[in-house]
Amino acid sequence: MSMSALMSTLRAAGRKHLSAGTLCTKTLTGSYLFRIEQYKRLQNMVANGTFIKSGTFSVGGHDWRIHCYPNGENGNEGSISLYLKHDSHDKTGDATADFHMSILDHAGRPLCTDGKIQSSNVTDGQTQGNAQNFPSDAYLTVRWEDFVNVQVQYLDEEEYLKDGCLSILCDVTVLDTRTTDYRAGCVVPPSDLHQQLTEVLWESKEGVDVEIEVGGETFPAHRWMLAARSPVFKAELLQSSAALSSRIRVDNMDAGVFKALIHFIYTDTLPKEMMERQETLATTMAKPLLLAADRYKLERLKLICEDILCGHIDVKSVGATLAFADQHSCRMLKEACMEFLADPANLEAAVSTRGFEKL
Protein backbone atom coordinates (compact mmCIF):
# COMPACT_ATOMS: atom_id res chain seq x y z
CA MET A 1 0.00 0.00 0.00
CA SER A 2 1.31 3.47 -0.89
CA MET A 3 2.05 6.10 1.73
CA SER A 4 -0.86 8.25 0.56
CA ALA A 5 -3.25 5.27 0.81
CA LEU A 6 -1.99 4.45 4.30
CA MET A 7 -2.44 8.07 5.40
CA SER A 8 -5.99 8.14 4.03
CA THR A 9 -6.86 4.89 5.82
CA LEU A 10 -5.47 6.09 9.15
CA ARG A 11 -7.23 9.46 8.91
CA ALA A 12 -10.48 7.74 8.09
CA ALA A 13 -10.01 5.71 11.28
CA GLY A 14 -10.03 8.91 13.33
CA ARG A 15 -6.38 10.02 13.41
CA LYS A 16 -6.90 13.63 12.34
CA HIS A 17 -3.53 14.98 13.46
CA LEU A 18 -1.26 12.60 11.58
CA SER A 19 2.20 13.18 10.19
CA ALA A 20 4.61 10.71 8.60
CA GLY A 21 8.09 10.23 7.26
CA THR A 22 10.00 7.67 5.22
CA LEU A 23 13.48 6.39 5.96
CA CYS A 24 15.25 5.98 2.62
CA THR A 25 18.34 3.78 2.53
CA LYS A 26 20.86 3.46 -0.27
CA THR A 27 24.45 2.35 -0.62
CA LEU A 28 27.15 4.36 -2.33
CA THR A 29 30.27 2.54 -3.49
CA GLY A 30 33.63 3.88 -4.61
CA SER A 31 37.14 2.52 -5.10
CA TYR A 32 40.64 3.87 -4.57
CA LEU A 33 43.90 2.52 -6.03
CA PHE A 34 46.90 3.12 -3.75
CA ARG A 35 50.17 2.50 -5.61
CA ILE A 36 53.37 2.31 -3.55
CA GLU A 37 56.63 2.61 -5.52
CA GLN A 38 59.79 0.72 -4.48
CA TYR A 39 57.76 -1.23 -1.96
CA LYS A 40 60.42 -3.75 -0.90
CA ARG A 41 62.98 -1.02 -0.29
CA LEU A 42 60.40 0.89 1.73
CA GLN A 43 59.55 -2.21 3.77
CA ASN A 44 63.21 -2.72 4.65
CA MET A 45 63.77 0.92 5.60
CA VAL A 46 60.58 1.72 7.54
CA ALA A 47 60.49 0.73 11.21
CA ASN A 48 57.80 -1.45 12.70
CA GLY A 49 54.88 0.69 13.83
CA THR A 50 55.48 3.42 11.21
CA PHE A 51 52.75 4.12 8.69
CA ILE A 52 52.44 5.89 5.37
CA LYS A 53 49.14 7.31 4.16
CA SER A 54 47.38 7.61 0.85
CA GLY A 55 45.78 10.68 -0.58
CA THR A 56 42.23 11.55 0.42
CA PHE A 57 39.37 10.04 -1.58
CA SER A 58 35.63 10.60 -1.30
CA VAL A 59 32.87 7.98 -1.14
CA GLY A 60 29.28 8.57 -0.05
CA GLY A 61 29.87 12.19 0.93
CA HIS A 62 32.73 11.27 3.31
CA ASP A 63 36.51 11.53 2.93
CA TRP A 64 38.74 8.50 3.52
CA ARG A 65 42.44 7.60 3.64
CA ILE A 66 44.38 4.34 3.66
CA HIS A 67 47.02 4.07 6.40
CA CYS A 68 49.61 1.42 5.51
CA TYR A 69 52.24 -0.02 7.84
CA PRO A 70 54.78 -1.55 5.36
CA ASN A 71 56.59 -3.33 8.19
CA GLY A 72 53.57 -4.02 10.34
CA GLU A 73 51.82 -2.31 13.19
CA ASN A 74 53.36 -2.46 16.68
CA GLY A 75 53.88 -6.09 17.60
CA ASN A 76 53.35 -7.41 14.07
CA GLU A 77 56.77 -6.91 12.51
CA GLY A 78 57.21 -8.43 9.07
CA SER A 79 53.55 -8.14 8.15
CA ILE A 80 51.58 -5.44 6.39
CA SER A 81 48.75 -3.68 8.23
CA LEU A 82 46.18 -1.65 6.35
CA TYR A 83 43.75 0.76 7.95
CA LEU A 84 40.82 2.66 6.51
CA LYS A 85 40.64 6.08 8.16
CA HIS A 86 37.50 8.24 8.21
CA ASP A 87 39.14 11.56 7.39
CA SER A 88 36.21 14.00 7.39
CA HIS A 89 34.38 13.29 10.64
CA ASP A 90 34.61 16.92 11.78
CA LYS A 91 32.75 17.99 8.64
CA THR A 92 30.49 15.05 7.79
CA GLY A 93 29.85 13.29 11.12
CA ASP A 94 29.57 9.55 11.71
CA ALA A 95 29.57 7.13 8.80
CA THR A 96 28.55 3.49 8.45
CA ALA A 97 30.64 1.66 5.90
CA ASP A 98 31.91 -1.70 4.68
CA PHE A 99 35.17 -2.13 2.80
CA HIS A 100 37.43 -4.65 1.10
CA MET A 101 41.13 -4.38 0.32
CA SER A 102 43.05 -6.34 -2.31
CA ILE A 103 46.65 -6.62 -3.48
CA LEU A 104 46.61 -6.53 -7.29
CA ASP A 105 48.85 -8.31 -9.76
CA HIS A 106 50.20 -6.59 -12.88
CA ALA A 107 46.95 -7.26 -14.78
CA GLY A 108 44.76 -5.81 -12.04
CA ARG A 109 43.61 -9.15 -10.65
CA PRO A 110 43.25 -9.36 -6.83
CA LEU A 111 45.72 -11.55 -4.98
CA CYS A 112 43.81 -11.37 -1.72
CA THR A 113 40.52 -9.73 -0.82
CA ASP A 114 39.12 -8.92 2.61
CA GLY A 115 41.56 -10.46 5.08
CA LYS A 116 40.72 -10.32 8.79
CA ILE A 117 38.55 -7.29 9.56
CA GLN A 118 38.58 -5.97 13.10
CA SER A 119 37.93 -2.69 14.87
CA SER A 120 40.63 -0.57 16.51
CA ASN A 121 40.28 2.55 18.66
CA VAL A 122 36.56 2.67 17.93
CA THR A 123 34.42 4.36 20.59
CA ASP A 124 31.00 2.71 20.81
CA GLY A 125 31.63 1.04 17.46
CA GLN A 126 28.68 -1.10 16.49
CA THR A 127 28.80 -3.70 13.76
CA GLN A 128 25.73 -4.90 11.89
CA GLY A 129 26.50 -7.54 9.29
CA ASN A 130 29.69 -6.39 7.59
CA ALA A 131 29.05 -2.67 8.10
CA GLN A 132 31.12 -0.78 10.67
CA ASN A 133 30.12 2.48 12.36
CA PHE A 134 32.78 5.18 12.09
CA PRO A 135 32.54 7.67 14.97
CA SER A 136 35.23 10.27 15.67
CA ASP A 137 38.85 9.09 15.20
CA ALA A 138 37.69 5.65 14.07
CA TYR A 139 39.61 3.10 12.05
CA LEU A 140 38.86 -0.21 10.48
CA THR A 141 41.85 -2.42 10.01
CA VAL A 142 42.80 -5.33 7.83
CA ARG A 143 45.77 -7.33 9.14
CA TRP A 144 47.21 -9.97 6.84
CA GLU A 145 49.83 -11.19 9.30
CA ASP A 146 50.42 -14.85 8.49
CA PHE A 147 49.45 -14.30 4.85
CA VAL A 148 51.88 -11.46 4.24
CA ASN A 149 54.69 -12.90 6.36
CA VAL A 150 54.80 -15.76 3.92
CA GLN A 151 53.63 -14.13 0.69
CA VAL A 152 55.20 -10.67 0.59
CA GLN A 153 58.66 -12.02 1.32
CA TYR A 154 58.47 -14.36 -1.63
CA LEU A 155 56.06 -12.35 -3.76
CA ASP A 156 56.60 -12.86 -7.48
CA GLU A 157 58.00 -9.48 -8.45
CA GLU A 158 56.99 -9.86 -12.08
CA GLU A 159 53.39 -10.55 -11.08
CA TYR A 160 52.77 -8.44 -7.98
CA LEU A 161 55.69 -6.02 -7.69
CA LYS A 162 56.11 -5.07 -11.34
CA ASP A 163 58.57 -2.15 -11.59
CA GLY A 164 58.90 -2.40 -7.81
CA CYS A 165 55.37 -1.11 -7.21
CA LEU A 166 52.75 -2.60 -4.89
CA SER A 167 49.15 -1.85 -5.87
CA ILE A 168 46.41 -1.90 -3.21
CA LEU A 169 42.76 -1.56 -4.16
CA CYS A 170 40.25 -0.41 -1.54
CA ASP A 171 36.53 -0.73 -2.24
CA VAL A 172 34.34 1.25 0.17
CA THR A 173 30.56 1.02 0.47
CA VAL A 174 28.86 3.71 2.56
CA LEU A 175 25.33 3.30 3.92
CA ASP A 176 23.34 6.49 3.38
CA THR A 177 20.07 6.84 5.32
CA ARG A 178 17.79 9.85 5.17
CA THR A 179 14.31 10.52 6.50
CA THR A 180 11.93 12.54 4.34
CA ASP A 181 8.71 14.01 5.67
CA TYR A 182 5.55 12.98 3.89
CA ARG A 183 3.72 15.63 1.90
CA ALA A 184 0.50 15.01 0.04
CA GLY A 185 0.87 15.45 -3.69
CA CYS A 186 2.57 13.84 -6.63
CA VAL A 187 6.13 12.53 -6.62
CA VAL A 188 8.29 14.07 -9.34
CA PRO A 189 10.66 11.46 -10.77
CA PRO A 190 14.29 12.40 -11.42
CA SER A 191 15.24 13.63 -14.86
CA ASP A 192 16.05 10.92 -17.39
CA LEU A 193 16.59 13.23 -20.36
CA HIS A 194 20.08 11.85 -20.96
CA GLN A 195 18.77 8.29 -21.06
CA GLN A 196 15.91 9.22 -23.39
CA LEU A 197 18.25 11.01 -25.80
CA THR A 198 20.58 8.02 -25.77
CA GLU A 199 17.75 5.60 -26.55
CA VAL A 200 16.08 7.72 -29.24
CA LEU A 201 19.14 9.13 -30.99
CA TRP A 202 21.93 6.59 -30.49
CA GLU A 203 20.13 3.27 -30.17
CA SER A 204 17.17 3.74 -32.50
CA LYS A 205 18.89 6.08 -35.00
CA GLU A 206 15.59 7.86 -35.63
CA GLY A 207 15.86 10.89 -37.92
CA VAL A 208 19.41 10.32 -39.16
CA ASP A 209 20.33 12.58 -42.06
CA VAL A 210 23.95 11.78 -42.85
CA GLU A 211 26.03 8.64 -43.36
CA ILE A 212 29.76 8.51 -42.61
CA GLU A 213 32.04 6.04 -44.37
CA VAL A 214 35.06 4.93 -42.34
CA GLY A 215 37.34 2.02 -43.15
CA GLY A 216 34.76 0.22 -45.26
CA GLU A 217 31.94 0.63 -42.72
CA THR A 218 29.03 3.09 -42.73
CA PHE A 219 27.78 4.91 -39.64
CA PRO A 220 24.38 6.69 -39.69
CA ALA A 221 24.28 9.92 -37.67
CA HIS A 222 22.47 13.19 -36.99
CA ARG A 223 24.17 16.18 -38.61
CA TRP A 224 23.13 18.57 -35.82
CA MET A 225 24.45 16.25 -33.07
CA LEU A 226 27.88 15.96 -34.66
CA ALA A 227 28.00 19.73 -35.22
CA ALA A 228 26.95 20.49 -31.64
CA ARG A 229 29.64 18.25 -30.15
CA SER A 230 32.59 18.91 -32.46
CA PRO A 231 33.65 22.22 -34.01
CA VAL A 232 35.43 20.24 -36.72
CA PHE A 233 32.26 18.37 -37.68
CA LYS A 234 30.37 21.68 -37.50
CA ALA A 235 32.66 23.27 -40.06
CA GLU A 236 32.53 20.20 -42.30
CA LEU A 237 28.81 19.45 -42.11
CA LEU A 238 27.26 22.90 -41.88
CA GLN A 239 29.74 25.35 -43.33
CA SER A 240 31.28 23.61 -46.33
CA SER A 241 30.29 21.90 -49.55
CA ALA A 242 29.63 18.72 -47.52
CA ALA A 243 26.63 20.48 -45.98
CA LEU A 244 24.68 19.57 -49.14
CA SER A 245 25.74 15.92 -49.09
CA SER A 246 24.06 13.11 -47.19
CA ARG A 247 27.22 11.00 -47.24
CA ILE A 248 30.77 11.90 -46.21
CA ARG A 249 33.98 9.91 -45.84
CA VAL A 250 36.55 9.97 -43.06
CA ASP A 251 40.03 8.89 -44.12
CA ASN A 252 43.03 7.72 -42.08
CA MET A 253 41.01 6.25 -39.24
CA ASP A 254 40.12 2.71 -38.19
CA ALA A 255 36.41 1.88 -38.17
CA GLY A 256 36.61 0.57 -34.61
CA VAL A 257 38.15 3.82 -33.42
CA PHE A 258 35.47 5.88 -35.15
CA LYS A 259 32.76 3.67 -33.64
CA ALA A 260 34.07 4.51 -30.17
CA LEU A 261 34.36 8.18 -31.14
CA ILE A 262 30.78 8.50 -32.36
CA HIS A 263 29.51 6.53 -29.34
CA PHE A 264 31.17 9.13 -27.13
CA ILE A 265 29.67 11.99 -29.17
CA TYR A 266 26.16 10.66 -28.49
CA THR A 267 26.53 9.35 -24.91
CA ASP A 268 29.57 11.16 -23.43
CA THR A 269 30.93 7.77 -22.40
CA LEU A 270 33.11 5.07 -23.91
CA PRO A 271 31.42 1.82 -25.01
CA LYS A 272 30.79 -0.48 -22.06
CA GLU A 273 32.75 -3.34 -23.58
CA MET A 274 35.83 -1.11 -23.84
CA MET A 275 35.63 0.05 -20.23
CA GLU A 276 35.39 -3.57 -19.06
CA ARG A 277 38.68 -4.36 -20.81
CA GLN A 278 40.92 -1.55 -19.56
CA GLU A 279 44.13 -3.49 -20.23
CA THR A 280 43.20 -4.10 -23.88
CA LEU A 281 41.93 -0.55 -24.26
CA ALA A 282 45.19 0.90 -23.00
CA THR A 283 47.40 -1.17 -25.28
CA THR A 284 45.41 -1.09 -28.52
CA MET A 285 42.80 1.66 -28.53
CA ALA A 286 43.72 4.52 -26.21
CA LYS A 287 46.37 6.12 -28.45
CA PRO A 288 44.44 6.04 -31.76
CA LEU A 289 41.27 7.15 -29.96
CA LEU A 290 43.19 10.04 -28.39
CA LEU A 291 44.39 11.06 -31.86
CA ALA A 292 40.80 10.93 -33.14
CA ALA A 293 39.61 13.04 -30.20
CA ASP A 294 42.35 15.56 -30.91
CA ARG A 295 41.44 15.61 -34.59
CA TYR A 296 37.79 16.43 -33.85
CA LYS A 297 38.49 18.70 -30.83
CA LEU A 298 36.77 16.48 -28.27
CA GLU A 299 38.79 17.61 -25.25
CA ARG A 300 36.98 15.49 -22.65
CA LEU A 301 37.53 12.31 -24.66
CA LYS A 302 41.19 13.23 -25.11
CA LEU A 303 41.60 13.61 -21.34
CA ILE A 304 39.86 10.26 -20.72
CA CYS A 305 42.35 8.57 -23.07
CA GLU A 306 45.26 10.37 -21.38
CA ASP A 307 44.05 9.15 -18.00
CA ILE A 308 43.87 5.54 -19.23
CA LEU A 309 47.42 5.76 -20.61
CA CYS A 310 48.67 7.30 -17.36
CA GLY A 311 47.58 4.16 -15.52
CA HIS A 312 49.60 1.85 -17.78
CA ILE A 313 53.09 3.40 -17.81
CA ASP A 314 55.89 0.92 -17.29
CA VAL A 315 59.60 0.58 -18.04
CA LYS A 316 59.04 -0.82 -21.54
CA SER A 317 56.48 1.76 -22.65
CA VAL A 318 57.51 4.98 -20.92
CA GLY A 319 59.89 6.14 -23.68
CA ALA A 320 57.38 5.78 -26.50
CA THR A 321 54.57 7.15 -24.34
CA LEU A 322 56.59 10.24 -23.41
CA ALA A 323 57.41 10.90 -27.06
CA PHE A 324 53.74 10.47 -27.97
CA ALA A 325 52.66 12.84 -25.18
CA ASP A 326 55.12 15.49 -26.27
CA GLN A 327 54.12 15.21 -29.93
CA HIS A 328 50.39 15.58 -29.24
CA SER A 329 50.50 18.11 -26.38
CA CYS A 330 49.26 15.72 -23.70
CA ARG A 331 50.34 17.61 -20.58
CA MET A 332 48.88 15.22 -18.00
CA LEU A 333 50.40 12.16 -19.71
CA LYS A 334 53.77 13.85 -20.06
CA GLU A 335 53.82 14.74 -16.35
CA ALA A 336 52.95 11.14 -15.44
CA CYS A 337 55.87 9.85 -17.54
CA MET A 338 58.27 12.36 -15.97
CA GLU A 339 57.11 11.37 -12.49
CA PHE A 340 57.72 7.70 -13.34
CA LEU A 341 61.22 8.49 -14.62
CA ALA A 342 62.03 10.56 -11.53
CA ASP A 343 62.70 7.24 -9.81
CA PRO A 344 66.39 6.47 -10.57
CA ALA A 345 65.69 2.73 -10.80
CA ASN A 346 62.94 3.27 -13.38
CA LEU A 347 65.10 5.68 -15.36
CA GLU A 348 68.04 3.28 -15.48
CA ALA A 349 65.84 0.42 -16.65
CA ALA A 350 63.97 2.54 -19.21
CA VAL A 351 67.09 3.99 -20.84
CA SER A 352 68.10 0.52 -22.03
CA THR A 353 64.81 -0.16 -23.81
CA ARG A 354 64.16 0.33 -27.51
CA GLY A 355 61.28 2.73 -26.88
CA PHE A 356 63.59 5.22 -25.20
CA GLU A 357 65.40 5.77 -28.50
CA LYS A 358 62.39 7.79 -29.69
CA LEU A 359 63.14 10.58 -27.24
Side-chain angles (χ1 to χ4, degrees):
M1 184 179 291
S2 68
M3 177 66 87
S4 59
L6 280 171
M7 294 290 286
S8 298
T9 300
L10 292 171
R11 285 188 177 125
R15 294 175 175 83
K16 302 302 181 184
H17 301 287
L18 179 65
S19 58
T22 300
L23 178 67
C24 301
T25 303
K26 63 179 179 179
T27 56
L28 303 166
T29 300
S31 303
Y32 183 79
L33 177 62
F34 186 25
R35 189 172 169 87
I36 305 173
E37 297 183 350
Q38 299 187 51
Y39 177 77
K40 280 199 170 182
R41 181 185 299 180
L42 187 65
Q43 187 183 40
N44 291 331
M45 295 177 65
V46 170
N48 174 243
T50 302
F51 72 85
I52 56 177
K53 57 186 179 181
S54 71
T56 302
F57 59 100
S58 296
V59 179
H62 298 265
D63 293 338
W64 310 88
R65 282 184 189 271
I66 298 172
H67 284 195
C68 172
Y69 291 75
N71 200 23
E73 191 197 6
N74 293 330
N76 296 288
E77 188 170 357
S79 68
I80 179 174
S81 298
L82 300 172
Y83 286 78
L84 180 64
K85 176 70 167 63
H86 186 200
D87 209 45
S88 63
H89 185 272
D90 290 344
K91 295 186 299 181
T92 59
D94 292 359
T96 301
D98 181 27
F99 78 104
H100 307 280
M101 291 201 191
S102 306
I103 293 176
L104 305 181
D105 67 9
H106 74 281
R109 295 183 294 261
L111 169 65
C112 178
T113 301
D114 289 343
K116 179 182 178 183
I117 300 180
Q118 58 189 27
S119 61
S120 175
N121 299 329
V122 176
T123 305
D124 297 327
Q126 297 181 352
T127 300
Q128 295 183 352
N130 291 326
Q132 172 71 48
N133 186 48
F134 280 76
S136 180
D137 298 326
Y139 288 90
L140 275 186
T141 176
V142 175
R143 287 192 185 128
W144 288 322
E145 294 162 8
D146 295 338
F147 171 80
V148 176
N149 267 334
V150 176
Q151 299 294 335
V152 169
Q153 184 179 359
Y154 302 105
L155 212 54
D156 188 330
E157 295 192 19
E158 188 63 28
E159 284 293 319
Y160 302 107
L161 292 173
K162 193 172 180 64
D163 303 321
C165 297
L166 180 71
S167 297
I168 299 167
L169 179 66
C170 180
D171 299 307
V172 182
T173 299
V174 177
L175 186 66
D176 182 25
T177 57
R178 299 182 184 182
T179 300
T180 57
D181 294 332
Y182 172 76
R183 292 187 305 166
C186 60
V187 177
V188 180
S191 172
D192 61 349
L193 176 61
H194 182 271
Q195 180 63 29
Q196 289 185 39
L197 289 175
T198 299
E199 291 176 356
V200 172
L201 298 178
W202 173 246
E203 296 176 5
S204 72
K205 299 296 190 300
E206 290 184 17
V208 297
D209 58 359
V210 65
E211 292 184 333
I212 306 172
E213 294 181 7
V214 187
E217 295 187 31
T218 301
F219 299 88
H222 301 82
R223 190 183 303 268
W224 63 268
M225 174 64 85
L226 300 179
R229 296 280 280 157
S230 164
V232 176
F233 272 127
K234 181 178 180 180
E236 183 174 356
L237 294 173
L238 301 183
Q239 302 169 359
S240 70
S241 57
L244 302 176
S245 175
S246 61
R247 196 176 187 91
I248 63 172
R249 189 175 69 185
V250 173
D251 295 320
N252 303 317
M253 187 178 298
D254 180 76
V257 173
F258 187 81
K259 182 179 180 180
L261 179 83
I262 198 169
H263 183 280
F264 181 85
I265 286 176
Y266 274 84
T267 67
D268 210 40
T269 63
L270 292 177
K272 183 179 179 180
E273 61 271 18
M274 291 178 60
M275 296 306 298
E276 290 175 347
R277 296 180 297 178
Q278 282 278 324
E279 194 73 24
T280 302
L281 175 62
T283 55
T284 62
M285 185 69 83
K287 285 186 178 180
L289 188 55
L290 186 150
L291 294 179
D294 193 37
R295 175 175 172 179
Y296 286 99
K297 306 302 180 189
L298 297 170
E299 293 303 319
R300 174 171 149 76
L301 178 57
K302 182 178 178 181
L303 287 174
I304 289 174
C305 294
E306 275 195 68
D307 185 58
I308 293 170
L309 291 170
C310 284
H312 292 80
I313 297 171
D314 56 27
V315 168
K316 295 180 181 179
S317 68
V318 65
T321 302
L322 181 56
F324 177 86
D326 187 61
Q327 182 181 358
H328 300 287
S329 302
C330 302
R331 181 185 59 81
M332 182 173 67
L333 182 58
K334 185 175 181 179
E335 290 177 356
C337 290
M338 297 303 294
E339 181 179 348
F340 181 85
L341 292 173
D343 184 327
N346 290 340
L347 178 61
E348 182 180 356
V351 167
S352 62
T353 64
R354 181 174 300 178
F356 215 77
E357 299 173 357
K358 298 182 179 181
L359 296 179

